[in-house]
Amino acid sequence: SSSLLQPFHLIMNIVKNLFKGTTTNNLDKEIQQKGFEISQCSEICESCTSKFPKHLKFEGESESTSLWNTTKPYGMHIIIATGKKDWSHDAINEDGKKKDTLKYKIGKWAENNTNSPLGTIKVNVSSMSSDELYINENYKLEKQGDLLILPYFLNIKGITIDEVDTYLNELESLLIKNNNNNDSTTNNNDSTIIIDEIITKLPKISPNLNQSFVFFCSHTTRDKRCGITAPIMKREIDNYLQELDLIRNFGDYRPNGIQTEFINHIGGHKYAANVIIYLKKLGKNIWLGLCKPNNIKPIVDECILGDGKVWPNKVRLLQKFDPIEW
C-alpha cells in the first residue's frame, strides 16, 4: 500500500513546489513595486562563525507562512534615548505608574495623534545615550531627554515634559508642509528651506548626520531570547562597521556614519532576531526577521550600502519615505 501512496505524495510535493514558486514570484513583484531591489547575493556569510546558543528556538522558523507584512506600516518614529538595553515590561507607559515622565508624555501625544497625515506614530525607548543622562538631575528623573525622529533624521536635544506637545505639534505641521511641497513641486531647495525653518522655530532640533540607523530588539523583560540575540547581532555588526570605518558610537559625530542601537519591544519575538534599518538618502525603512549573526555582513553590504536590496524570505516590512537631504 505504501508503494501506491508514493505517486500521490510525489504529485502533492510537485503541487506544493509550484504553489511556493508562484507565491515567491508574487512577493518579488510586491517588493519591486514598492521600489526595492531583490538581492542577487546570498543572505548568508559562509565564513562568519558567530552563532546563537543552540538552545534558542524561534516559532517563526517552523512556520510555513511568509514574514512579509508581519508588522504594520507607520509614519513618524520617535526614539527616546535612555542609555539602557532593557526596560520594564511596558517600557513607555509603565502601566500608568509613572505618568510624570517624558516617555509617558510622548506616548500619550502619539496616542492622541492617531490620524496624523504622517501616518501612525511609533514610540520606542533605546540604548542611545547622552552625557546628560549621568549628570543632569532632570534627565535622571526622566523629566527631560533627547529624541531621534525618524525617518526624518532629526535630533531633539533636552526636550522637557512641558515642551512635548508644543514641539511635536509644530514639528509635525512642518513635516506635513514639507511632504506637501515635495508632492507638488520638484524644487530641489525644498529640503534646505524646511530644515532651516525647523531649526529657526524649534531651536532644540538639529539634523542627524548619520546615513543610517540599525536597531535590534534587546527587551529581555519581554522575551529573554531578545536579550541574548541582540548583543550578539550588535557585536557582529559593530565589528564589521569598524572595519569599514563607518561605525558611529556615542560622541562620534562624523557625518555619513552608521549607528547601531538596542530598542524595546517592536512585536514579533518569534521572528527574532529582528533588524530595523533606516536609510536616510534613499528614504527607505527595512524590517528584517529571523536574522542570524551570519546574515550581518550581507545585510551591511546589500541592505545598507547596496541601496536597500533585500531577500524576500527575510523581509517583514518595507517602507519608502521622502529621501532626506540634510
Side-chain angles (χ1 to χ4, degrees):
S1 57
S2 61
S3 61
L4 291 173
L5 287 172
Q6 283 180 358
F8 173 76
H9 289 312
L10 184 61
I11 291 167
M12 288 304 295
N13 284 333
I14 291 170
V15 171
K16 282 181 183 177
N17 287 332
L18 284 172
F19 179 75
K20 186 177 179 182
T22 304
T23 306
T24 302
N25 289 336
N26 290 342
L27 180 51
D28 287 2
K29 285 179 184 176
E30 278 193 64
I31 288 171
Q32 289 161 344
Q33 285 168 356
K34 283 186 171 285
F36 290 77
E37 288 183 62
I38 307 294
S39 174
Q40 300 304 308
C41 300
S42 171
E43 73 269 29
I44 296 171
C45 166
E46 298 295 347
S47 62
C48 300
T49 56
S50 181
K51 294 180 181 178
F52 292 149
K54 289 182 179 179
H55 71 271
L56 286 185
K57 304 294 180 188
F58 304 97
E59 300 90 333
E61 291 179 324
S62 59
E63 293 180 359
S64 58
T65 52
S66 166
L67 299 187
W68 182 241
N69 287 340
T70 51
T71 192
K72 294 178 181 178
Y74 58 93
M76 180 190 284
H77 195 177
I78 303 174
I79 311 286
I80 305 169
T82 70
K84 301 174 182 178
K85 64 178 183 180
D86 191 27
W87 304 270
S88 61
H89 190 271
D90 182 7
I92 304 299
N93 294 320
E94 298 204 40
D95 299 319
K97 294 174 185 174
K98 290 186 177 181
K99 295 185 178 181
D100 57 344
T101 61
L102 182 67
K103 62 188 180 185
Y104 183 85
K105 183 75 171 179
I106 292 169
K108 287 301 169 190
W109 179 84
E111 283 181 26
N112 293 332
N113 281 270
T114 51
N115 296 318
S116 170
L118 296 178
T120 302
I121 298 168
K122 185 181 285 291
V123 181
N124 282 96
V125 288
S126 77
S127 61
M128 288 170 54
S129 198
S130 164
D131 287 335
E132 304 292 334
L133 284 167
Y134 307 100
I135 59 175
N136 187 320
E137 204 62 29
N138 285 331
Y139 273 70
K140 292 179 183 178
L141 294 171
E142 298 186 81
K143 310 290 185 189
Q144 189 174 12
D146 299 342
L147 311 178
L148 171 67
I149 309 296
L150 293 167
Y152 304 100
F153 283 75
L154 293 170
N155 299 319
I156 305 183
K157 177 73 176 173
I159 188 171
T160 64
I161 292 176
D162 295 338
E163 293 172 323
V164 166
D165 287 342
T166 305
Y167 249 74
L168 295 184
N169 284 336
E170 181 66 27
L171 176 59
E172 181 188 30
S173 66
L174 289 170
L175 291 172
I176 291 167
K177 176 183 173 182
N178 182 56
N179 287 352
N180 292 337
N181 285 345
N182 287 342
D183 289 341
S184 60
T185 179
T186 56
N187 185 348
N188 291 327
N189 294 322
D190 283 343
S191 60
T192 306
I193 293 167
I194 197 69
I195 190 62
D196 288 346
E197 189 175 355
I198 288 172
I199 293 169
T200 301
K201 291 187 175 180
L202 302 168
K204 290 188 175 184
I205 294 183
S206 62
N208 187 285
L209 301 179
N210 288 319
Q211 64 165 292
S212 177
F213 274 90
V214 183
F215 296 101
F216 302 98
C217 176
S218 63
H219 203 165
T220 310
T221 307
R222 292 292 289 254
D223 193 313
K224 290 180 180 178
R225 294 172 297 185
C226 293
I228 296 170
T229 59
I232 296 172
M233 295 291 283
K234 189 174 185 305
R235 182 174 64 244
E236 197 74 10
I237 196 170
D238 287 354
N239 287 342
Y240 187 40
L241 293 175
Q242 188 76 49
E243 289 177 26
L244 302 174
D245 196 30
L246 287 173
I247 190 71
R248 295 295 183 267
N249 294 313
F250 168 57
D252 185 348
Y253 302 116
R254 288 175 295 155
N256 298 317
I258 299 169
Q259 189 168 338
T260 70
E261 297 290 349
F262 297 123
I263 200 170
N264 76 298
H265 178 63
I266 54 166
H269 291 308
K270 65 181 180 179
Y271 303 122
N274 286 289
V275 184
I276 304 175
I277 301 166
Y278 285 94
L279 304 173
K280 185 202 301 194
K281 292 177 182 176
L282 297 174
K284 290 182 176 180
N285 171 222
I286 300 168
W287 283 52
L288 302 175
L290 295 178
C291 293
K292 304 285 189 294
N294 63 6
N295 299 136
I296 285 293
K297 282 192 175 183
I299 286 172
V300 172
D301 294 340
E302 292 291 291
C303 296
I304 301 174
L305 303 179
D307 294 338
K309 295 186 186 74
V310 296
W311 302 273
N313 63 314
K314 291 288 184 188
V315 175
R316 293 189 63 194
L317 177 72
L318 296 174
Q319 299 191 106
K320 282 202 78 172
F321 302 95
D322 290 328
I324 303 299
E325 303 296 335
W326 52 73

PDB file of all heavy atoms in Angstrom, residues 2-3 19 25 47-48 62 82 88 103 119-120 130 140 143 147 153 158 171 176 193 251 257 263 265 270 292 298 319:
ATOM      1  N   SER A   2       2.058   1.169   0.651  1.00  0.00           N
ATOM      2  CA  SER A   2       2.940   2.327   0.695  1.00  0.00           C
ATOM      3  C   SER A   2       3.415   2.699  -0.700  1.00  0.00           C
ATOM      4  O   SER A   2       3.589   3.865  -1.034  1.00  0.00           O
ATOM      5  CB  SER A   2       4.142   2.056   1.601  1.00  0.00           C
ATOM      6  OG  SER A   2       4.877   0.958   1.105  1.00  0.00           O
ATOM      7  N   SER A   3       3.602   1.647  -1.564  1.00  0.00           N
ATOM      8  CA  SER A   3       4.056   1.925  -2.928  1.00  0.00           C
ATOM      9  C   SER A   3       2.971   2.645  -3.725  1.00  0.00           C
ATOM     10  O   SER A   3       3.248   3.431  -4.627  1.00  0.00           O
ATOM     11  CB  SER A   3       4.457   0.623  -3.632  1.00  0.00           C
ATOM     12  OG  SER A   3       3.349  -0.253  -3.703  1.00  0.00           O
ATOM     13  N   PHE A  19       3.114  25.936  -6.121  1.00  0.00           N
ATOM     14  CA  PHE A  19       2.435  26.988  -5.363  1.00  0.00           C
ATOM     15  C   PHE A  19       3.447  27.897  -4.691  1.00  0.00           C
ATOM     16  O   PHE A  19       3.327  29.116  -4.703  1.00  0.00           O
ATOM     17  CB  PHE A  19       1.493  26.367  -4.328  1.00  0.00           C
ATOM     18  CG  PHE A  19       0.785  27.390  -3.485  1.00  0.00           C
ATOM     19  CD1 PHE A  19      -0.271  28.125  -4.015  1.00  0.00           C
ATOM     20  CD2 PHE A  19       1.185  27.624  -2.174  1.00  0.00           C
ATOM     21  CE1 PHE A  19      -0.924  29.085  -3.240  1.00  0.00           C
ATOM     22  CE2 PHE A  19       0.541  28.584  -1.405  1.00  0.00           C
ATOM     23  CZ  PHE A  19      -0.519  29.304  -1.941  1.00  0.00           C
ATOM     24  N   ASN A  25       7.228  34.404  -6.510  1.00  0.00           N
ATOM     25  CA  ASN A  25       7.220  35.352  -7.626  1.00  0.00           C
ATOM     26  C   ASN A  25       6.333  36.554  -7.328  1.00  0.00           C
ATOM     27  O   ASN A  25       6.685  37.693  -7.642  1.00  0.00           O
ATOM     28  CB  ASN A  25       6.746  34.664  -8.915  1.00  0.00           C
ATOM     29  CG  ASN A  25       7.775  33.683  -9.454  1.00  0.00           C
ATOM     30  OD1 ASN A  25       8.958  33.813  -9.164  1.00  0.00           O
ATOM     31  ND2 ASN A  25       7.325  32.714 -10.233  1.00  0.00           N
ATOM     32  N   SER A  47      31.760  32.448   5.727  1.00  0.00           N
ATOM     33  CA  SER A  47      32.981  32.482   6.536  1.00  0.00           C
ATOM     34  C   SER A  47      32.745  33.026   7.944  1.00  0.00           C
ATOM     35  O   SER A  47      33.652  33.056   8.770  1.00  0.00           O
ATOM     36  CB  SER A  47      34.047  33.343   5.839  1.00  0.00           C
ATOM     37  OG  SER A  47      33.581  34.682   5.705  1.00  0.00           O
ATOM     38  N   CYS A  48      31.502  33.461   8.219  1.00  0.00           N
ATOM     39  CA  CYS A  48      31.192  34.018   9.543  1.00  0.00           C
ATOM     40  C   CYS A  48      30.909  32.884  10.530  1.00  0.00           C
ATOM     41  O   CYS A  48      30.100  32.004  10.248  1.00  0.00           O
ATOM     42  CB  CYS A  48      29.994  34.947   9.455  1.00  0.00           C
ATOM     43  SG  CYS A  48      30.276  36.338   8.338  1.00  0.00           S
ATOM     44  N   SER A  62       9.667  27.613  12.215  1.00  0.00           N
ATOM     45  CA  SER A  62       8.941  26.384  11.881  1.00  0.00           C
ATOM     46  C   SER A  62       7.638  26.660  11.137  1.00  0.00           C
ATOM     47  O   SER A  62       6.961  25.740  10.701  1.00  0.00           O
ATOM     48  CB  SER A  62       8.642  25.590  13.156  1.00  0.00           C
ATOM     49  OG  SER A  62       7.865  26.362  14.049  1.00  0.00           O
ATOM     50  N   THR A  82      17.768  56.445  26.393  1.00  0.00           N
ATOM     51  CA  THR A  82      17.740  56.083  27.820  1.00  0.00           C
ATOM     52  C   THR A  82      19.097  55.584  28.328  1.00  0.00           C
ATOM     53  O   THR A  82      19.304  55.486  29.526  1.00  0.00           O
ATOM     54  CB  THR A  82      16.700  54.980  28.104  1.00  0.00           C
ATOM     55  OG1 THR A  82      17.154  53.743  27.538  1.00  0.00           O
ATOM     56  CG2 THR A  82      15.342  55.336  27.523  1.00  0.00           C
ATOM     57  N   SER A  88      11.289  48.075  31.705  1.00  0.00           N
ATOM     58  CA  SER A  88      10.146  47.380  32.294  1.00  0.00           C
ATOM     59  C   SER A  88       9.288  46.800  31.170  1.00  0.00           C
ATOM     60  O   SER A  88       9.438  47.173  30.002  1.00  0.00           O
ATOM     61  CB  SER A  88       9.322  48.335  33.152  1.00  0.00           C
ATOM     62  OG  SER A  88       8.830  49.399  32.362  1.00  0.00           O
ATOM     63  N   LYS A 103       8.787  59.969  28.614  1.00  0.00           N
ATOM     64  CA  LYS A 103       8.340  58.908  27.696  1.00  0.00           C
ATOM     65  C   LYS A 103       6.825  58.718  27.761  1.00  0.00           C
ATOM     66  O   LYS A 103       6.183  58.456  26.733  1.00  0.00           O
ATOM     67  CB  LYS A 103       9.075  57.597  27.992  1.00  0.00           C
ATOM     68  CG  LYS A 103       8.844  57.022  29.377  1.00  0.00           C
ATOM     69  CD  LYS A 103       9.765  55.845  29.642  1.00  0.00           C
ATOM     70  CE  LYS A 103       9.520  55.288  31.037  1.00  0.00           C
ATOM     71  NZ  LYS A 103      10.486  54.220  31.379  1.00  0.00           N
ATOM     72  N   GLY A 119       1.064  59.473   9.157  1.00  0.00           N
ATOM     73  CA  GLY A 119       0.879  58.044   9.392  1.00  0.00           C
ATOM     74  C   GLY A 119       0.905  57.731  10.880  1.00  0.00           C
ATOM     75  O   GLY A 119       1.029  58.622  11.719  1.00  0.00           O
ATOM     76  N   THR A 120       0.768  56.462  11.221  1.00  0.00           N
ATOM     77  CA  THR A 120       0.833  56.035  12.619  1.00  0.00           C
ATOM     78  C   THR A 120       2.158  56.466  13.229  1.00  0.00           C
ATOM     79  O   THR A 120       3.209  56.364  12.598  1.00  0.00           O
ATOM     80  CB  THR A 120       0.697  54.505  12.725  1.00  0.00           C
ATOM     81  OG1 THR A 120      -0.531  54.114  12.132  1.00  0.00           O
ATOM     82  CG2 THR A 120       0.742  54.039  14.176  1.00  0.00           C
ATOM     83  N   SER A 130      23.535  59.845  26.317  1.00  0.00           N
ATOM     84  CA  SER A 130      23.802  61.279  26.408  1.00  0.00           C
ATOM     85  C   SER A 130      24.574  61.529  27.697  1.00  0.00           C
ATOM     86  O   SER A 130      24.314  60.861  28.712  1.00  0.00           O
ATOM     87  CB  SER A 130      22.476  62.056  26.415  1.00  0.00           C
ATOM     88  OG  SER A 130      22.673  63.377  26.873  1.00  0.00           O
ATOM     89  N   LYS A 140      17.905  62.277  34.747  1.00  0.00           N
ATOM     90  CA  LYS A 140      17.849  61.086  35.607  1.00  0.00           C
ATOM     91  C   LYS A 140      16.426  60.799  36.057  1.00  0.00           C
ATOM     92  O   LYS A 140      16.020  59.645  36.182  1.00  0.00           O
ATOM     93  CB  LYS A 140      18.746  61.270  36.834  1.00  0.00           C
ATOM     94  CG  LYS A 140      20.233  61.299  36.534  1.00  0.00           C
ATOM     95  CD  LYS A 140      21.021  61.510  37.826  1.00  0.00           C
ATOM     96  CE  LYS A 140      22.502  61.629  37.582  1.00  0.00           C
ATOM     97  NZ  LYS A 140      23.251  61.883  38.838  1.00  0.00           N
ATOM     98  N   LYS A 143      12.471  63.737  33.412  1.00  0.00           N
ATOM     99  CA  LYS A 143      11.686  64.955  33.174  1.00  0.00           C
ATOM    100  C   LYS A 143      12.130  65.643  31.890  1.00  0.00           C
ATOM    101  O   LYS A 143      11.454  66.530  31.382  1.00  0.00           O
ATOM    102  CB  LYS A 143      11.852  65.947  34.340  1.00  0.00           C
ATOM    103  CG  LYS A 143      11.630  65.371  35.726  1.00  0.00           C
ATOM    104  CD  LYS A 143      10.182  65.043  35.961  1.00  0.00           C
ATOM    105  CE  LYS A 143       9.948  64.574  37.402  1.00  0.00           C
ATOM    106  NZ  LYS A 143       8.583  64.052  37.597  1.00  0.00           N
ATOM    107  N   LEU A 147      15.762  63.018  21.907  1.00  0.00           N
ATOM    108  CA  LEU A 147      14.974  62.199  20.996  1.00  0.00           C
ATOM    109  C   LEU A 147      15.630  62.141  19.620  1.00  0.00           C
ATOM    110  O   LEU A 147      16.365  63.046  19.231  1.00  0.00           O
ATOM    111  CB  LEU A 147      13.560  62.788  20.816  1.00  0.00           C
ATOM    112  CG  LEU A 147      12.770  63.175  22.062  1.00  0.00           C
ATOM    113  CD1 LEU A 147      11.429  63.773  21.648  1.00  0.00           C
ATOM    114  CD2 LEU A 147      12.568  61.986  22.976  1.00  0.00           C
ATOM    115  N   PHE A 153      15.511  61.845  10.373  1.00  0.00           N
ATOM    116  CA  PHE A 153      16.887  62.033  10.833  1.00  0.00           C
ATOM    117  C   PHE A 153      17.061  63.401  11.504  1.00  0.00           C
ATOM    118  O   PHE A 153      17.881  64.219  11.103  1.00  0.00           O
ATOM    119  CB  PHE A 153      17.876  61.847   9.672  1.00  0.00           C
ATOM    120  CG  PHE A 153      18.108  60.396   9.328  1.00  0.00           C
ATOM    121  CD1 PHE A 153      17.142  59.670   8.635  1.00  0.00           C
ATOM    122  CD2 PHE A 153      19.269  59.746   9.714  1.00  0.00           C
ATOM    123  CE1 PHE A 153      17.335  58.327   8.321  1.00  0.00           C
ATOM    124  CE2 PHE A 153      19.479  58.399   9.416  1.00  0.00           C
ATOM    125  CZ  PHE A 153      18.508  57.689   8.718  1.00  0.00           C
ATOM    126  N   GLY A 158      17.364  67.821  24.773  1.00  0.00           N
ATOM    127  CA  GLY A 158      16.945  68.456  26.016  1.00  0.00           C
ATOM    128  C   GLY A 158      15.484  68.863  26.074  1.00  0.00           C
ATOM    129  O   GLY A 158      15.133  69.827  26.769  1.00  0.00           O
ATOM    130  N   LEU A 171       6.550  70.471  14.995  1.00  0.00           N
ATOM    131  CA  LEU A 171       7.381  69.661  14.102  1.00  0.00           C
ATOM    132  C   LEU A 171       6.504  68.878  13.128  1.00  0.00           C
ATOM    133  O   LEU A 171       6.793  68.810  11.924  1.00  0.00           O
ATOM    134  CB  LEU A 171       8.258  68.705  14.912  1.00  0.00           C
ATOM    135  CG  LEU A 171       9.117  67.739  14.092  1.00  0.00           C
ATOM    136  CD1 LEU A 171      10.068  68.488  13.169  1.00  0.00           C
ATOM    137  CD2 LEU A 171       9.894  66.788  15.005  1.00  0.00           C
ATOM    138  N   ILE A 176       4.583  67.890   7.659  1.00  0.00           N
ATOM    139  CA  ILE A 176       3.434  67.733   6.744  1.00  0.00           C
ATOM    140  C   ILE A 176       3.557  68.749   5.607  1.00  0.00           C
ATOM    141  O   ILE A 176       3.351  68.416   4.431  1.00  0.00           O
ATOM    142  CB  ILE A 176       2.107  67.920   7.505  1.00  0.00           C
ATOM    143  CG1 ILE A 176       1.888  66.756   8.475  1.00  0.00           C
ATOM    144  CG2 ILE A 176       0.932  68.036   6.524  1.00  0.00           C
ATOM    145  CD1 ILE A 176       0.773  66.995   9.481  1.00  0.00           C
ATOM    146  N   ILE A 193      15.095  74.583   2.698  1.00  0.00           N
ATOM    147  CA  ILE A 193      14.159  75.559   3.261  1.00  0.00           C
ATOM    148  C   ILE A 193      13.501  75.001   4.511  1.00  0.00           C
ATOM    149  O   ILE A 193      13.414  75.672   5.538  1.00  0.00           O
ATOM    150  CB  ILE A 193      13.083  75.929   2.208  1.00  0.00           C
ATOM    151  CG1 ILE A 193      13.738  76.687   1.047  1.00  0.00           C
ATOM    152  CG2 ILE A 193      11.974  76.759   2.834  1.00  0.00           C
ATOM    153  CD1 ILE A 193      12.842  76.830  -0.176  1.00  0.00           C
ATOM    154  N   GLY A 251      29.020  60.025  20.936  1.00  0.00           N
ATOM    155  CA  GLY A 251      30.050  61.062  20.965  1.00  0.00           C
ATOM    156  C   GLY A 251      30.811  61.221  19.666  1.00  0.00           C
ATOM    157  O   GLY A 251      31.570  62.173  19.501  1.00  0.00           O
ATOM    158  N   GLY A 257      27.921  58.267   8.885  1.00  0.00           N
ATOM    159  CA  GLY A 257      28.195  57.017   9.583  1.00  0.00           C
ATOM    160  C   GLY A 257      26.945  56.174   9.745  1.00  0.00           C
ATOM    161  O   GLY A 257      25.852  56.532   9.288  1.00  0.00           O
ATOM    162  N   ILE A 263      16.770  48.509  21.156  1.00  0.00           N
ATOM    163  CA  ILE A 263      15.451  49.135  21.207  1.00  0.00           C
ATOM    164  C   ILE A 263      14.505  48.218  21.976  1.00  0.00           C
ATOM    165  O   ILE A 263      14.748  47.013  22.088  1.00  0.00           O
ATOM    166  CB  ILE A 263      14.958  49.382  19.753  1.00  0.00           C
ATOM    167  CG1 ILE A 263      13.863  50.444  19.692  1.00  0.00           C
ATOM    168  CG2 ILE A 263      14.475  48.088  19.114  1.00  0.00           C
ATOM    169  CD1 ILE A 263      13.544  50.873  18.272  1.00  0.00           C
ATOM    170  N   HIS A 265      10.617  46.482  22.833  1.00  0.00           N
ATOM    171  CA  HIS A 265       9.705  45.581  22.112  1.00  0.00           C
ATOM    172  C   HIS A 265       9.118  46.219  20.848  1.00  0.00           C
ATOM    173  O   HIS A 265       8.562  47.310  20.894  1.00  0.00           O
ATOM    174  CB  HIS A 265       8.572  45.186  23.053  1.00  0.00           C
ATOM    175  CG  HIS A 265       7.536  44.304  22.434  1.00  0.00           C
ATOM    176  ND1 HIS A 265       7.808  43.047  21.960  1.00  0.00           N
ATOM    177  CD2 HIS A 265       6.208  44.515  22.215  1.00  0.00           C
ATOM    178  CE1 HIS A 265       6.704  42.510  21.480  1.00  0.00           C
ATOM    179  NE2 HIS A 265       5.721  43.378  21.620  1.00  0.00           N
ATOM    180  N   LYS A 270       8.835  36.012  17.892  1.00  0.00           N
ATOM    181  CA  LYS A 270       9.058  34.706  17.253  1.00  0.00           C
ATOM    182  C   LYS A 270       9.860  34.837  15.965  1.00  0.00           C
ATOM    183  O   LYS A 270      10.310  33.845  15.407  1.00  0.00           O
ATOM    184  CB  LYS A 270       7.723  34.006  16.975  1.00  0.00           C
ATOM    185  CG  LYS A 270       6.821  34.703  15.962  1.00  0.00           C
ATOM    186  CD  LYS A 270       5.525  33.916  15.813  1.00  0.00           C
ATOM    187  CE  LYS A 270       4.583  34.556  14.811  1.00  0.00           C
ATOM    188  NZ  LYS A 270       3.344  33.766  14.660  1.00  0.00           N
ATOM    189  N   LYS A 292      20.295  35.993  11.657  1.00  0.00           N
ATOM    190  CA  LYS A 292      21.355  35.326  12.423  1.00  0.00           C
ATOM    191  C   LYS A 292      22.650  36.114  12.277  1.00  0.00           C
ATOM    192  O   LYS A 292      22.777  36.959  11.371  1.00  0.00           O
ATOM    193  CB  LYS A 292      21.557  33.899  11.897  1.00  0.00           C
ATOM    194  CG  LYS A 292      20.312  33.025  11.905  1.00  0.00           C
ATOM    195  CD  LYS A 292      19.967  32.565  13.310  1.00  0.00           C
ATOM    196  CE  LYS A 292      18.857  31.514  13.319  1.00  0.00           C
ATOM    197  NZ  LYS A 292      17.568  32.017  12.877  1.00  0.00           N
ATOM    198  N   PRO A 298      26.165  40.361   4.856  1.00  0.00           N
ATOM    199  CA  PRO A 298      25.300  40.619   3.699  1.00  0.00           C
ATOM    200  C   PRO A 298      24.294  41.750   3.942  1.00  0.00           C
ATOM    201  O   PRO A 298      23.992  42.514   3.020  1.00  0.00           O
ATOM    202  CB  PRO A 298      24.587  39.279   3.481  1.00  0.00           C
ATOM    203  CG  PRO A 298      25.545  38.260   4.030  1.00  0.00           C
ATOM    204  CD  PRO A 298      26.164  38.925   5.220  1.00  0.00           C
ATOM    205  N   GLN A 319       9.181  50.174   3.679  1.00  0.00           N
ATOM    206  CA  GLN A 319       8.509  51.459   3.540  1.00  0.00           C
ATOM    207  C   GLN A 319       9.432  52.445   2.835  1.00  0.00           C
ATOM    208  O   GLN A 319      10.644  52.426   3.046  1.00  0.00           O
ATOM    209  CB  GLN A 319       8.141  52.038   4.911  1.00  0.00           C
ATOM    210  CG  GLN A 319       7.200  51.175   5.726  1.00  0.00           C
ATOM    211  CD  GLN A 319       6.664  51.909   6.937  1.00  0.00           C
ATOM    212  OE1 GLN A 319       5.516  52.315   6.967  1.00  0.00           O
ATOM    213  NE2 GLN A 319       7.504  52.078   7.946  1.00  0.00           N
TER     214      GLN A 319
END
